[in-house]
Amino acid sequence: MRVGVLTGGGDCPGLNAVIRAVVRTGVAEHGMEFIGFRDGWRGPLEGDTMVLDVAAVRGILPRGGTILGTSRTNPASAANNVDGKSGIERVLENLESLGVDALIAIGGEDTLGAASKLHAAGGRVVGVPKTIDNDLGATDYTFGFDTAVNIAMEAIDRLHTTAESHHRALIVEVMGRSAGWIALHAGMAGGANVILIPEKPFDLDQVCEYVQHRFQSQYAPIVVVAEGAHPKSLDEAIGGQALDEFGHVRFGGVGHLLADEIERRTGKEARVAVLGHIQRGGTPTAFDRVLATRFGVQASRAVADGAFGNMVALRGTDIVRVPLAAATSELKLVPPERYAEAEVFFG
Ligand code: F6P
């Protein structure tokens, strides 16, 4: 069997661990041959491939990023229709002409949504869920999340000491466009003073009260805010108008808005640290390496079993198969009761 592999969407620590496990399992257990597609869906759309054998995956387990490259190309977007053929049709044609029997697509909501459309059009696809945001409904955890949380936690630990020395408030903006999982976990692990998430629009007066209270107790306030969080006074998250091929707005700016408002309303100094892509780079934690490796092993086995149209997922401690469509049907948001556990420590 000849199996294509692609990684799509934002990169994420653990992608290389999945690729390695996919190839090693497929070769050792099933005598499969692999072909790498470059830069997400752009690879199969344009027939851009690379060698993906056991030698190519040697030494990549601890490496961040993806040896295959990634992009936010959406094969289902009208922009990819050429000469009356949709992007999905072009992908199917290219897979056939390259002799690819099955495809393993590693990605988040968008990449797996396109995989689901390819499957509906007759493609033989298995998905692997990926996102540092941990917001895919069909799996308990995605790899990359644990690494991102640990990076953010370490940053918060460091910011505590400098904030206290200068008697300032420190605002830490982390990733999380629709779900506040990174903010919640990093904020709890780092002992943040306030955690703000997209799921619960915040009250600026209340945030400033927490900040004042913290200053009164002689400690410096650390406010952790997810990029997609917004004040009650605004209907939507703060960001530019730029859209990617999947129609997502690029967020950013809530940290600075908070710092300005805190300074204005409390008279205290506030500084902002926007962690951005630092959270996505570098080597994965042990948890993410193991999860990514288990996903890779099971993805190759799913291909060998002909279980197409599914993605591998973590349920409790087991790796299971769930329909690709389920992977993308519902985002996993922070439930109010989980947020309430963190609120105990606010102020
Ligand atoms: O989806 C993962 C994510 O990290 C989001 O939290 C963030 O909004 C987005 O990717 C940013 O990605 P990029 O800057 O690569 O487009």
Side-chain angles (χ1 to χ4, degrees), residues 10 72 131-133 175-177 227 250-251 277 280:
R72 294 198 186 271
T131 165
I132 64 163
D133 294 349
M175 281 186 170
R177 52 171 69 242
E227 62 184 341
R250 191 182 300 159
F251 290 147
H277 296 84
R280 287 212 323 231

